[in-house]
């Protein structure tokens, strides 16, 4: 299995632990990645309020590079906002040839052109459908027994294009987590919005959403995420959200491949656990307990 | 797009015509709205809005343009796509919210401009660096917002990230890489 890889800007800085643990876990699962050379920002969630053409042209530039540099491979994207921005080009330009031509006219400024041969795939989609829980289970060397996780999917990984899971009540993380030996919290907040960039522009509105998610995760040892924006909102603003009226208590928040990496034999340092902003002593104690059995 | 950039300065009449076309396009996006309210019930940010999404679509179709553009409803859209997913008419409601943000920002009234500044600063940062450099982005945002208390809100997070070695302090290897693409898009969007 080979994919072109688009890390996106946040995986170079605020979400460096997501980048490294994704690369390591995929390597352990026999997945080959070729990072797209010269990739640039996809516009994140800020481009659509500024320019409709740029909303498609920015990700289209990366898709054109992927086509040229890593042909015949799907493009794997761990960040949900990056994923949706690139997927929108595939969907909207695929349905409208005039629009596709307009986007290519913009790309001509760089001597690039996109023909639409690259499929865009989220990391979770690849883990769930291409690798599969069975193969993950076979690669586990240390079952994470005694942990309960609240799988948090966020919005843009399944909306508006639910390609691999139910966008109202997503469940694709459940078999993957169970393959690690982790118990899964039965909750209905997995697909709720974390506030996204409202945390920068309308803090109170975003804090209310984060509060509700943290409250609902009270029964879990950790929340597991697949998006740098969700991760940041849930971990960095946790204290503020709890202070602002949430009834929740501090809860650890880890990226899915970080947790997978620990079960696949990587150390806490290997998955950069020290970079996370919300890791409780309770979780560390459970992770380090001898009963987290070697297989 | 970016009205403050030097590359495009359009005569007022052209801007008004472009805005009228943009407005008509947004009205078309919600033309088939049957006022069922599924969007409002699905919106996680509706409690913080001055008009519910359902009301906003009705106001838009009734031509209450000033009231719509003065509303903070679309600035509170966090692009979760719940309304788009559930709309029984299949309307692109999240895209309509983004289009309203674009229209309000180009409309140029000061209150609205301030609300769109984060997005504009973000994209200026991308244009310059090729990849987002968040330290520089936040600095420009604070300067543009002219609110001396705003940086204080972000200080705890900034320090946390700095301690974890998660902030870019240097430049980008992609510096200037997106200049030609941005210039081309600007030229294409300025065509009548």
């Amino acid at each position: 299995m080979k994919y072109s890889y688009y890390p996106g800007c946040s995986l170079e800085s605020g979400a460096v632990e997501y980048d490294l643990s994704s690369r390591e876990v995929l390597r352990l699962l026999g997945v080959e990645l070729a990072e797209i050379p010269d990739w640039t920002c996809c516009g994140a969630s800020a481009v659509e309020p500024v320019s409709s053409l740029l909303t498609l042209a920015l990700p289209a530039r990366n898709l054109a590079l992927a086509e040229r540099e890593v042909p015949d491979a799907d493009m794997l994207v761990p960040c949900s906002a990056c994923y949706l921005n690139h997927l929108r080009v595939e969907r909207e330009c695929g349905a409208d040839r005039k629009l596709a031509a307009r986007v290519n006219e913009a790309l001509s400024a760089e001597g690039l052109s996109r023909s639409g041969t690259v499929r865009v795939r989220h990391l979770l989609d690849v883990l769930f459908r291409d690798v599969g829980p069975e193969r993950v289970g076979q690669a586990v060397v240390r079952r994470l027994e005694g942990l309960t996780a609240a799988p948090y999917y966020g919005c843009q990984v399944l909306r508006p294009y639910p390609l691999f899971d139910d966008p109202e009540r997503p469940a694709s993380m459940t078999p993957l987590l169970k393959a690690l030996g982790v118990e899964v919290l039965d909750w209905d907040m997995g697909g709720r919005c974390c506030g996204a960039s409202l945390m920068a522009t309308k803090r109170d509105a975003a804090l209310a959403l984060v509060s509700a998610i943290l409250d609902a995760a009270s029964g879990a040892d950790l929340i597991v995420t697949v998006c740098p924006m969700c991760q940041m909102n849930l971990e960095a603003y946790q204290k503020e959200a709890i202070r602002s009226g949430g009834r929740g208590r501090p809860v650890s928040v880890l990226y899915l491949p970080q947790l997978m990496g620990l079960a696949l034999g990587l150390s806490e340092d290997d998955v950069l656990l020290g970079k996370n902003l919300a890791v409780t002593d309770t979780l560390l104690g459970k992770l380090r307990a001898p009963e987290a059995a070697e297989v | 797009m970016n009205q403050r950039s030097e590359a495009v300065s359009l005569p007022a009449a052209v801007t008004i015509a472009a805005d009228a076309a943009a407005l008509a396009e947004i009205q078309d996006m919600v033309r088939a709205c049957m006022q069922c309210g599924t969007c409002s019930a699905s919106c996680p940010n509706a409690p913080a809005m001055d008009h519910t999404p359902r009301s906003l679509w009705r106001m838009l179709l009734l031509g209450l343009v000033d009231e719509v553009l003065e509303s903070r409803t679309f600035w509170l859209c966090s692009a979760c796509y719940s309304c788009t997913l559930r709309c029984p008419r299949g309307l692109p409601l999240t895209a309509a919210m983004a289009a309203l943000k674009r229209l309000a920002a180009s409309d140029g009234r000061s209150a609205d401009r301030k609300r769109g500044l984060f997005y504009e600063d973000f994209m200026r940062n991308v244009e310059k660096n090729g990849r987002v450099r968040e330290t520089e982005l936040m600095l420009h945002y604070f300067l543009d917002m002219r609110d001396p208390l705003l940086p204080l809100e972000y200080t705890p997070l900034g320090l946390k990230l700095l301690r974890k070695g998660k902030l870019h302090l240097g430049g980008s290897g992609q510096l200037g890489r997106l200049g030609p693409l941005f210039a081309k898009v600007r030229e294409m969007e300025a065509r009548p």
Side-chain angles (χ1 to χ4, degrees):
Chain A
M1 274 183 274
K2 182 178 175 177
Y3 302 84
S4 61
Y5 183 59
Y6 179 81
C9 302
S10 46
L11 272 79
E12 281 197 319
S13 56
V16 63
E17 65 273 37
Y18 193 22
D19 181 51
L20 193 97
S21 58
S22 294
R23 291 178 196 257
E24 286 297 301
V25 160
L26 290 168
R27 182 180 59 79
L28 290 171
L29 292 168
V31 174
E32 193 190 334
L33 297 180
E35 183 168 337
I36 298 163
D38 195 32
W39 61 266
T40 41
C41 176
C42 69
S45 49
V47 66
E48 207 186 0
V50 174
S51 155
S52 56
L53 179 54
L54 210 48
T55 302
L56 297 172
L58 275 178
R61 179 185 182 278
N62 298 315
L63 288 165
L65 287 171
E67 266 179 28
R68 195 178 71 190
E69 306 291 337
V70 198
D72 309 319
D74 289 354
M75 175 171 154
L76 190 153
V77 189
C79 165
S80 301
C82 300
Y83 163 73
L84 176 58
N85 281 4
H86 288 91
L87 186 62
R88 280 178 62 174
V89 178
E90 186 186 306
R91 293 284 155 143
E92 291 181 25
C93 290
D96 183 344
R97 289 172 71 176
K98 267 170 76 178
L99 185 63
R102 194 166 147 80
V103 168
N104 269 339
E105 185 189 345
L107 291 185
S108 70
E110 285 209 38
L112 286 169
S113 155
R114 174 193 157 276
S115 61
T117 53
V118 167
R119 260 208 318 164
V120 182
R121 309 284 306 278
H122 193 277
L123 169 72
L124 178 58
D125 182 10
V126 168
L127 287 172
F128 177 55
R129 290 199 298 183
D130 295 9
V131 177
E134 199 175 319
R135 187 150 158 194
V136 171
Q138 286 160 2
V140 168
V141 297
R142 182 168 165 263
R143 283 179 64 80
L144 302 173
E145 305 282 0
L147 282 183
T148 304
Y152 184 71
Y153 299 79
C155 298
Q156 302 193 339
V157 62
L158 289 162
R159 289 192 297 265
Y161 304 114
L163 296 190
F164 61 93
D165 202 349
D166 179 350
E168 301 278 10
R169 203 174 165 88
S172 46
M173 265 195 259
T174 295
L176 293 168
L177 290 168
K178 285 190 171 158
L180 311 178
V182 173
E183 297 241 8
V184 177
L185 181 76
D186 183 23
W187 71 334
D188 59 4
M189 300 294 274
R192 293 291 188 93
C193 179
C194 70
S197 60
L198 286 187
M199 200 56 94
T201 56
K202 295 276 175 196
R203 176 77 60 94
D204 290 347
L207 281 178
L209 302 181
V210 169
S211 266
I213 294 162
L214 292 175
D215 283 358
S218 295
D221 295 296
L222 75 162
I223 297 174
V224 181
T225 68
V226 287
C227 166
M229 179 82 96
C230 300
Q231 173 79 22
M232 177 75 90
N233 280 356
L234 291 178
E235 66 176 357
Y237 297 94
Q238 199 173 107
K239 280 185 193 144
E240 215 175 325
I242 293 172
R243 238 192 347 253
S244 75
R247 288 167 292 113
R249 50 171 183 79
V251 57
S252 304
V253 190
L254 264 64
Y255 289 105
L256 175 65
Q258 283 188 297
L259 192 65
M260 290 178 75
L262 294 172
L264 266 50
L266 299 175
S267 71
E268 288 175 17
D269 286 343
D270 288 337
V271 299
L272 299 184
L273 202 58
K275 292 275 184 188
N276 293 57
L277 299 172
V279 180
T280 63
D281 289 339
T282 321
L283 178 74
L284 287 178
K286 285 194 180 185
L287 284 175
R288 290 165 187 170
E291 54 266 32
E294 305 282 332
V295 175
Chain B
M1 48 165 300
N2 187 351
Q3 296 297 312
R4 286 201 309 177
S5 67
E6 299 75 17
V8 187
S9 86
L10 298 169
V14 175
T15 315
I16 290 166
D19 281 0
L23 179 66
E25 204 176 313
I26 304 169
Q27 285 173 324
D28 278 345
M29 290 163 112
V30 299
R31 185 82 63 200
C33 172
M34 58 184 187
Q35 291 289 299
C36 69
T38 303
C39 50
S40 302
S42 305
C43 179
N45 301 309
M49 292 169 171
D50 48 1
H51 302 289
T52 62
R54 181 194 62 79
S55 302
L56 199 75
W57 311 136
R58 193 70 191 134
M59 289 159 65
L60 198 58
L61 291 174
L62 287 172
L64 302 172
V65 179
D66 288 344
E67 288 86 343
V68 168
L69 290 181
E70 277 158 24
S71 164
R72 60 199 203 112
T73 291
F74 51 90
W75 294 114
L76 274 155
C77 170
S78 52
C80 77
Y81 290 93
S82 294
C83 56
T84 301
L85 185 83
R86 291 177 183 171
C87 175
R89 291 287 206 184
L91 305 179
L93 300 178
T94 311
M97 290 288 188
L100 283 170
K101 288 180 191 173
R102 287 198 295 274
L103 184 62
S106 72
D107 195 54
R109 275 169 300 178
S110 58
D112 289 324
R113 276 204 41 79
K114 214 168 182 183
R115 289 171 186 176
L117 268 178
F118 179 74
Y119 307 114
E120 286 180 32
D121 285 341
F122 193 104
M123 293 319 295
R124 256 195 292 280
N125 188 274
V126 170
E127 177 173 8
K128 182 179 160 207
N129 295 308
R131 294 178 190 173
V132 178
R133 288 294 169 265
E134 57 291 299
T135 317
E136 186 186 308
L137 163 64
M138 293 317 284
L139 198 67
H140 281 143
Y141 179 55
F142 295 152
L143 287 173
D144 280 351
M145 289 293 278
R146 294 177 199 186
D147 173 358
L149 294 179
L150 189 63
L152 293 179
E153 269 183 42
Y154 288 88
T155 307
L157 174 63
L159 289 175
K160 257 187 249 176
L161 294 176
L162 197 62
R163 261 201 306 275
K164 296 276 186 181
K166 286 176 145 193
L167 287 181
H168 275 113
L169 298 172
S172 157
Q174 306 302 108
L175 202 71
R177 179 62 96 230
L178 289 172
L181 184 62
F182 271 71
K184 179 76 182 173
V185 166
R186 214 169 266 143
E187 180 254 306
M188 287 175 70
E189 290 197 327
R191 285 177 204 164

